[in-house]
Amino acid sequence: MNALLDAAQKLVQDRGFNDFSYRDLAESVGIRSASIHYHFPTKTDLGVALVARYRAGMEATVEGLTAEGLASRDELDRYMNILAEAIDRGHRRCVCGVLGAELSTLELPLRREVTGFFLDNEGYLSRLLERGVGAGEFKLLASPAVTGKALFAILQGGMLAACVFGQADRFLAVADFIRQSLEPHKT
């Protein structure tokens, strides 16, 4: 099952969700399409399982970061570095970023999972920013909730730009911009 989800993730990141079939997935894993239908009767079932696994992985990552007890600024740096490393490892695009671009063509259960991924990350960033403001590490132009949403959108765009240009340093420039934008004003 993990091999199927791994192969499906790569296909989504390479082609998008709508541009691969169970036949493509079967060929990449070396099994028959009927075997995939046994585990995932519909492509939406496959997509929901893929995004649920992706969300759980990201949730474990952010829980681990929070548990380290880092300063908020350092935790944000680690979070952005994890995203940068994913680009460097050749994962290129965020699975949910790809699916988000195709959202209007997806069935409701899969749309809910993708939306949940975005809400998870926006919520995490909002809580992180709120802690950072309380500790005097960040100065925000808007509420932590609004800023968290904006930061996640900027990070998603940075990942996409890095993919479009094949240059991971484009994402690093976005991360540097975020760091500078959150600097407390010195008086």
Side-chain angles (χ1 to χ4, degrees):
M1 180 108 75
N2 277 337
L4 282 175
L5 292 175
D6 290 344
Q9 181 170 328
K10 185 172 181 345
L11 286 167
V12 168
Q13 289 171 313
D14 288 348
R15 299 183 188 180
F17 188 74
N18 293 317
D19 285 343
F20 79 89
S21 67
Y22 270 19
R23 182 181 309 142
D24 298 322
L25 181 57
E27 287 174 11
S28 68
V29 178
I31 61 174
R32 294 184 352 232
S33 296
S35 299
I36 299 170
H37 282 283
Y38 174 78
H39 295 288
F40 306 104
T42 68
K43 195 170 176 190
T44 294
D45 295 329
L46 171 69
V48 167
L50 175 62
V51 175
R53 182 181 79 156
Y54 197 75
R55 281 179 75 183
M58 187 56 121
E59 182 179 339
T61 296
V62 299
E63 285 176 0
L65 288 174
T66 302
E68 288 182 34
L70 301 170
S72 298
R73 178 167 293 286
D74 294 334
E75 187 174 331
L76 179 60
D77 282 344
R78 291 279 307 279
Y79 175 83
M80 292 189 297
N81 287 337
I82 288 167
L83 299 179
E85 290 166 8
I87 295 166
D88 282 342
R89 284 193 311 267
H91 293 149
R92 293 185 300 270
R93 300 188 291 172
C94 169
V95 168
C96 290
V98 173
L99 293 170
E102 297 178 311
L103 199 67
S104 67
T105 67
L106 304 177
E107 292 184 22
L108 185 59
L110 185 49
R111 287 196 314 255
R112 285 184 180 138
E113 280 294 322
V114 172
T115 301
F117 176 83
F118 277 75
L119 292 171
D120 294 345
N121 282 274
E122 291 172 354
Y124 164 71
L125 289 169
S126 297
R127 291 185 302 276
L128 176 63
L129 292 167
E130 189 168 358
R131 271 196 337 261
V133 167
E137 296 176 71
F138 299 132
K139 176 71 174 169
L140 307 182
L141 297 175
S143 71
V146 169
T147 305
K149 291 173 186 171
L151 288 186
F152 192 63
I154 291 167
L155 290 167
Q156 281 289 315
M159 292 179 80
L160 180 59
C163 176
V164 166
F165 290 97
Q167 299 170 341
D169 62 339
R170 284 190 174 259
F171 180 81
L172 298 175
V174 167
D176 286 339
F177 170 79
I178 288 171
R179 285 182 196 98
Q180 292 172 22
S181 298
L182 297 175
E183 284 288 326
H185 301 292
K186 306 289 183 202
T187 55

